[in-house]
């Protein structure tokens, strides 16, 4: 399809209009060239499903993105950055094979669908309890604030073993770490706060690991420690560093998935009616939400060495934007890609990535999202949007609503 448009004008991906409604522009970009060098962004924009999937398997592409993050820190905050970026260097998501495989292996069993499934009843109870407190039928509320944000945080904190009394500090630190990792524009003082928050989170989780060594509980940390790999194949510092990654990632992606999925169903009432008529469609509705308007728009990688990508010469050091939001609507891969359909049978979307870096928390995110949709579909038959306009957080990476007004 490359070159089929007669004209194409590149636009800034953080233009508020593109940020709010990216899909029309991304379709034009993909049709113009699914592997496009952007002088505006100084990066390759990969928008086709096939080339993006190849990139996620390409050994010449590195996941090591700690150095660019550090380069963005204001000079006055650099003294605070050394330990913080040492912690980031232990994150699985910033490591390539074979280090990535070594680090990830210790979490494989606790994060498996079978292991996560043990928490289904707890998640369902937490969902109903949260909605019972915040979402009386007939009441107008913000579904994002009422359930999409607090529920994943609650579930993940319980699973990780964070005592309820520590929740406020724990999630404050996570939010500030998000500002750092997701590249939010920050003044020097704010950078210092974000860097210190990552150090605080690491210290806190190190203490939790020590406590679980002394007195195991029914939680993720205890489960991994029982496997015997911490202190053997993976150091305790690496383990704690990876826990900071999981703590950061445990809420944001799932919150976005819930909010965007509910929004898609509300905007397509015939699909919502189909799910109500046949609850077996609930898992498919979550997968379609991941494809149609997923929780993230892209991930960023870099070329470790020169290589060819669909006839384009990619050079060592080049940045690569893997625009999954565009690839998930590629007509070469999905029939009628602009249509939201809970009957879609093809689930080869890239909403959780692909290959070695496939999201390790996918099973938990799916479990929580399905729990919320199940309760909303069955217990709130009159659920409807309250207003038509939605605002989105300005972000290159995430697809995050600021609010989702609904009538319960």
């Amino acid at each position: 399809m490359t070159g089929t448009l007669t004209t194409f004008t590149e636009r800034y991906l953080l233009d508020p209009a593109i940020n709010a409604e990216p899909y029309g522009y991304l379709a034009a970009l993909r049709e113009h060239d699914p592997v496009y060098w952007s002088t505006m962004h100084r990066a390759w924009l990969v928008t086709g499903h096939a080339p993006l999937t190849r990139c996620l398997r390409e050994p010449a592409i590195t996941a090591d993105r700690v150095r660019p993050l550090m380069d963005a820190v204001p000079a006055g905050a650099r003294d605070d950055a050394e330990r913080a970026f040492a912690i980031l260097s232990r994150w699985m998501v910033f490591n390539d094979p074979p280090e990535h495989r070594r680090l990830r292996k210790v979490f494989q069993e606790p994060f498996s669908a079978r292991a996560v499934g043990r928490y289904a009843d707890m998640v369902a109870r937490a969902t109903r309890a949260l909605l019972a407190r915040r979402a009386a039928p007939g009441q107008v509320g913000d579904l994002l604030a009422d359930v999409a944000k607090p529920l994943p945080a609650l579930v993940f904190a319980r699973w990780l073993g964070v005592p309820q009394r520590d929740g406020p500090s724990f999630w404050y630190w996570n939010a500030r770490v998000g500002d750092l990792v997701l590249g939010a524009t920050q003044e020097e003082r704010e950078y210092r706060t974000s860097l210190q928050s990552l150090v605080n989170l690491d210290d806190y989780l190190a203490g939790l690991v020590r406590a679980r060594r002394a007195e195991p509980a029914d939680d993720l940390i205890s489960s991994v420690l029982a496997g015997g790999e911490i202190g053997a194949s993976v150091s305790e510092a690496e383990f704690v560093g990876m826990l900071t990654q999981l703590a950061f990632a445990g809420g944001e992606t799932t919150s976005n998935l819930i909010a965007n999925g509910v929004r898609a169903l509300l905007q397509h009432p015939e699909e919502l009616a189909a799910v109500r008529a046949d609850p077996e469609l609930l898992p498919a509705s979550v997968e379609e939400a991941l494809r149609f308007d997923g929780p993230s728009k892209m991930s960023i990688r870099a070329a470790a060495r020169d290589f060819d990508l669909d006839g384009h010469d990619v050079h060592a050091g080049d940045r690569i934007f893997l625009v999954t939001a565009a690839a998930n609507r590629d007509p070469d891969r999905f029939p009628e890609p602009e249509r939201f359909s809970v009957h879609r049978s093809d689930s080869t979307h890239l909403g959780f990535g692909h290959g070695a870096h496939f999201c390790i928390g996918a099973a938990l995110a799916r479990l929580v999202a399905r729990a919320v949709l199940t309760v909303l579909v069955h217990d709130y038959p009159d659920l409807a949007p309250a207003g038509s306009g939605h605002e989105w957080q300005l972000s290159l990476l995430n697809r995050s609503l600021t609010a989702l007004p609904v009538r319960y």
Side-chain angles (χ1 to χ4, degrees):
M1 296 178 66
T2 301
T4 57
L5 290 182
T6 54
T7 61
F8 171 76
T9 302
E10 185 180 0
R11 297 183 64 180
Y12 186 43
L13 292 172
L14 282 177
D15 178 312
I18 299 297
N19 183 75
E21 296 294 339
Y23 295 105
Y25 172 72
L26 292 178
L29 172 59
R30 185 185 56 239
E31 186 173 353
H32 174 70
D33 194 341
V35 180
Y36 175 79
W37 173 254
S38 167
T39 54
M40 182 179 293
H41 298 89
R42 300 190 302 280
W44 292 98
L45 307 185
V46 183
T47 52
H49 189 282
L52 197 153
T53 303
R54 281 196 290 276
C55 285
L56 290 170
R57 296 193 302 255
E58 173 56 60
I61 294 177
T62 178
D64 182 1
R65 304 185 295 285
V66 175
R67 174 52 56 185
L69 286 171
M70 189 154 185
D71 289 344
V73 175
R78 292 289 173 87
D79 291 343
D80 299 336
E82 185 174 349
R83 183 177 166 199
F85 283 95
I87 296 167
L88 289 180
S89 71
R90 300 175 190 129
W91 285 21
M92 290 177 284
V93 71
F94 293 148
N95 277 272
D96 297 319
E99 287 297 283
H100 178 268
R101 285 192 295 271
R102 179 180 65 83
L103 296 171
R104 184 181 175 114
K105 184 179 178 182
V106 300
F107 290 106
Q108 285 294 117
E109 173 54 29
F111 274 93
S112 68
R114 181 192 62 79
V116 166
R118 294 173 46 229
Y119 297 90
D121 288 344
M122 180 271 281
V123 173
R125 288 195 304 272
T127 302
R128 283 195 160 86
L130 199 60
L131 283 167
R133 291 198 305 270
R134 302 186 178 205
Q139 173 184 312
V140 172
D142 174 8
L143 191 137
L144 185 68
D146 291 341
V147 66
K149 276 198 174 297
L151 181 66
L154 173 68
V155 169
F156 192 82
R158 285 186 185 175
W159 189 44
L160 191 60
V162 176
Q164 189 173 356
R165 66 179 180 275
D166 297 338
S169 295
F170 180 78
W171 292 111
Y172 171 79
W173 294 328
N174 270 282
R176 301 291 75 76
V177 171
D179 293 339
L180 175 68
V181 175
L182 297 176
T185 302
Q186 298 188 93
E187 300 295 332
E188 182 179 314
R189 177 183 54 81
E190 295 169 320
Y191 259 109
R192 289 183 184 276
T193 299
S194 291
L195 293 165
Q196 186 58 50
S197 292
L198 179 54
V199 170
N200 291 345
L201 186 61
D202 193 75
D203 285 340
Y204 174 79
L205 289 167
L208 206 55
V209 169
R210 288 193 298 272
R212 291 299 177 265
R213 277 200 183 279
E215 189 175 346
D218 181 18
D219 56 32
L220 173 65
I221 291 174
S222 301
S223 175
V224 175
L225 289 174
E229 295 298 323
I230 307 307
S233 65
V234 171
S235 72
E236 190 148 318
E238 287 174 323
F239 177 45
V240 174
M242 288 190 290
L243 289 174
T244 67
Q245 177 200 327
L246 297 175
F248 155 70
E252 181 75 18
T253 298
T254 309
S255 296
N256 293 346
L257 172 57
I258 292 168
N260 297 1
V262 172
R263 178 177 181 264
L265 284 168
L266 291 176
Q267 290 186 328
H268 299 84
E270 70 288 352
E271 301 302 306
L272 177 56
V275 173
R276 285 200 167 113
D278 182 6
E280 296 296 317
L281 290 172
L282 274 165
S285 69
V286 172
E287 299 309 307
E288 180 68 344
L290 283 159
R291 183 201 69 84
F292 182 76
D293 196 12
S296 63
K297 292 181 285 190
M298 71 171 73
S299 59
I300 299 176
R301 299 287 192 273
R305 57 181 182 273
D306 295 356
F307 72 101
D308 174 85
L309 179 59
D310 284 14
H312 298 272
D313 294 324
V314 180
H315 300 290
D318 285 355
R319 289 198 305 168
I320 305 167
F321 289 3
L322 303 180
V323 192
T324 49
N328 280 336
R329 294 198 185 193
D330 188 340
D332 287 347
R333 188 64 192 85
F334 302 101
E336 298 183 89
E338 303 300 323
R339 185 167 72 91
F340 178 80
S341 172
V342 298
H343 294 91
R344 193 178 296 274
S345 58
D346 186 345
S347 61
T348 57
H349 62 76
L350 300 168
F352 284 128
H354 174 81
H357 283 277
F358 183 81
C359 177
I360 197 168
L364 183 62
R366 284 171 166 137
L367 177 71
V368 176
R370 289 173 186 174
V372 174
L373 291 183
T374 298
V375 175
L376 289 173
V377 163
H378 293 294
D379 296 2
Y380 295 84
D382 298 321
L383 185 71
S388 57
H390 296 115
E391 294 185 3
W392 300 86
Q393 294 179 20
L394 193 62
S395 172
L396 195 62
L397 304 180
N398 281 4
R399 178 75 170 151
S400 306
L401 284 162
T402 60
L404 182 56
V406 298
R407 182 175 296 279
Y408 292 108

